Amino acid sequence: MPRPPRIIYSGAIYHIYQRGNNKEDIFKEEEYKKFFLKQLKNLNIRFDFNILAYAIMSNHYHFLIKTGDTPISDIIFNLNNIYAKYYNEKLNRSGHVFESRFNSKVVLDDAYLICLLRYIHRNPVRANIVKSVDEYRWTSHYFYKNNINNFVYPSFILNILSNNLKDSLKIYNNLMMEEGDDSNFKKDLEIICKKFSLNLESSLSFLNLQDLAEPGKRPSLDEIWLEVNTNKDELHLIRRGFKRRNFTNYKVEFIKKALKQNYTITEIAKFLNVSPSAVSKIIIRKDINPTF
C-alpha cells in the first residue's frame, strides 16, 4: 500500500514521534541523548522552525515543532540521518536505527495542543521512570517551568494558557502536576479539559478524526468538488481567478474534504488553479484542521 502523503505548509504545528528499530533503546545512554539534542539545536540554526516541546526517552522521542519555510520532512530526515550515522559508528553496527519513517500529525486545536504538551512532558512519569516531571532531564519541561525562550520556544503555548505570564506559568505547573489518567490519553484529555475549562468537544473531534482515508480508495478531486458544488461553471470561474463571497465558502469546504482524503496542498492548489501558499492561507485564516 502506498504511503499517505504528508500534510505540509508553512506555520504548521506538528506532533512528531518515532522509536528505535525493533523498539531498541537507541537513547539508552545519556551521551546519546546529549548528542541527539545537540544536533536538533544545530538544525534549528540552519533551518526555519521553532521547537515547542520535546521528550527523549530510551527507545523513542516526541517533538512539537512549528515550521517556517523548511518542510518538516527536511528537518526530521536530517536529524535522524545524522543520529543514525553517529549511533552505528558508536556501536560498530550497521542497518536501520529508526523504525520506518517518522510519524507526524498536524495540530491546530489549542485545547488538544495543551493536552499534548502535558502528554509529552509526562512521558517519563507514565513510564514509571520518575514520580514527577521535575525529576527527568530529557524533556523541555525545564524551559517551560522557568520561561526560558532559547533553544525551546515555550512562549507560544504559555500565551495560549494566559496573556499574563505569572498566571500562565501557574496554569502550566498545575497542568503538569494534575492527576489525570496517564494510561489512557483520551480519558486524560477529558479530565484535563474539564479541570482547566478547555474545549473538550473540539479536542475529541480532533482526536477522533485522526484516521484518514485509505490511499487508493479516495474519490477524485472532481468528485469531491461535486459534493460541495454541482455547478461546474462556478468552478471554471474560480479557476480563472474570479472572486465572490460564496466562492470562498465553496473553497473552504472543498479544502476540508480534500485534506481528509489525503490530498496534498499542492494537489489541491493545482486543481483550483491557485498557488499552494494561497491554499495555506485559507487553511490558517479559516482555522481548517488539516486532518479533517
Side-chain angles (χ1 to χ4, degrees):
M1 182 182 296
R3 292 174 174 177
R6 295 195 188 279
I7 299 168
I8 300 173
Y9 63 94
S10 178
I13 297 174
Y14 294 90
H15 174 207
I16 306 294
Y17 52 101
Q18 189 167 31
R19 62 185 179 186
N21 196 33
N22 297 319
K23 302 180 181 180
E24 294 176 7
D25 290 338
I26 59 173
F27 302 112
K28 186 175 182 179
E29 306 296 335
E30 286 199 358
E31 63 177 301
Y32 299 167
K33 296 184 181 75
K34 287 180 181 178
F35 180 85
F36 189 66
L37 285 177
K38 182 180 179 181
Q39 303 316 308
L40 182 61
K41 291 179 184 179
N42 291 340
L43 289 174
N44 195 210
I45 296 172
R46 288 175 51 197
F47 295 144
D48 184 18
F49 67 98
N50 287 320
I51 303 161
L52 302 185
Y54 70 83
I56 313 298
M57 305 297 287
S58 62
N59 69 350
H60 71 281
Y61 66 79
H62 288 271
F63 294 145
L64 276 177
I65 288 179
K66 185 175 184 291
T67 59
D69 293 332
T70 307
I72 190 64
S73 55
D74 289 357
I75 299 165
I76 304 303
F77 171 79
N78 277 274
L79 178 63
N80 285 353
N81 189 47
I82 292 170
Y83 184 77
K85 290 179 179 178
Y86 163 83
Y87 185 78
N88 280 340
E89 289 177 4
K90 193 78 175 176
L91 299 181
N92 193 26
R93 69 186 292 275
S94 61
H96 295 293
V97 174
F98 293 100
E99 183 180 74
S100 65
R101 67 171 182 167
F102 67 92
N103 297 280
S104 67
K105 294 185 183 298
V106 181
V107 183
L108 283 180
D109 179 80
D110 284 352
Y112 187 89
L113 178 64
I114 291 167
C115 291
L116 194 55
L117 175 67
R118 167 183 159 86
Y119 173 84
I120 290 173
H121 283 177
R122 287 184 63 84
N123 248 242
V125 177
R126 186 165 48 256
N128 294 316
I129 297 174
V130 294
K131 293 183 178 180
S132 167
V133 292
D134 289 331
E135 300 172 24
Y136 193 75
R137 292 180 56 193
W138 305 105
T139 74
S140 49
H141 168 65
Y142 174 82
F143 293 89
Y144 276 81
K145 184 177 180 180
N146 297 283
N147 187 36
I148 299 174
N149 287 272
N150 186 352
F151 161 51
V152 180
Y153 182 53
S155 291
F156 184 86
I157 298 180
L158 288 177
N159 287 336
I160 295 175
L161 296 178
S162 174
N163 291 327
N164 181 281
L165 178 59
K166 185 177 179 180
D167 290 342
S168 66
L169 290 173
K170 182 178 180 179
I171 294 170
Y172 167 77
N173 186 64
N174 291 337
L175 185 71
M176 291 301 113
M177 301 306 170
E178 181 68 27
E179 289 189 14
D181 189 339
D182 286 323
S183 65
N184 187 305
F185 180 68
K186 184 176 181 180
K187 289 182 180 179
D188 193 63
L189 186 72
E190 293 172 347
I191 293 169
I192 297 304
C193 283
K194 183 177 181 180
K195 177 72 177 181
F196 290 86
S197 301
L198 301 174
N199 192 327
L200 175 61
E201 184 177 352
S202 67
S203 298
L204 289 177
S205 295
F206 185 90
L207 180 64
N208 293 335
L209 292 172
Q210 292 291 330
D211 295 330
L212 301 179
E214 183 179 349
K217 295 185 178 180
R218 61 184 181 177
S220 67
L221 288 172
D222 285 294
E223 291 172 328
I224 294 174
W225 178 263
L226 289 175
E227 291 180 16
V228 175
N229 182 5
T230 58
N231 190 332
K232 292 185 177 181
D233 290 336
E234 290 188 337
L235 173 60
H236 181 65
L237 291 175
I238 288 172
R239 285 172 167 168
R240 291 178 58 191
F242 282 79
K243 295 182 180 180
R244 295 176 185 173
R245 181 172 297 180
N246 63 321
F247 285 0
T248 299
N249 295 333
Y250 291 143
K251 285 190 285 187
V252 168
E253 189 62 27
F254 171 73
I255 291 170
K256 284 182 180 180
K257 290 179 178 292
L259 288 172
K260 182 180 178 182
Q261 297 295 338
N262 266 350
Y263 282 100
T264 66
I265 288 176
T266 301
E267 290 173 319
I268 295 169
K270 185 177 180 180
F271 178 83
L272 295 174
N273 196 30
V274 297
S275 67
S277 62
V279 175
S280 296
K281 288 178 182 178
I282 291 175
I283 290 173
I284 296 170
R285 188 170 66 248
K286 297 298 181 179
D287 196 23
I288 298 174
N289 191 321
T291 58
F292 282 12

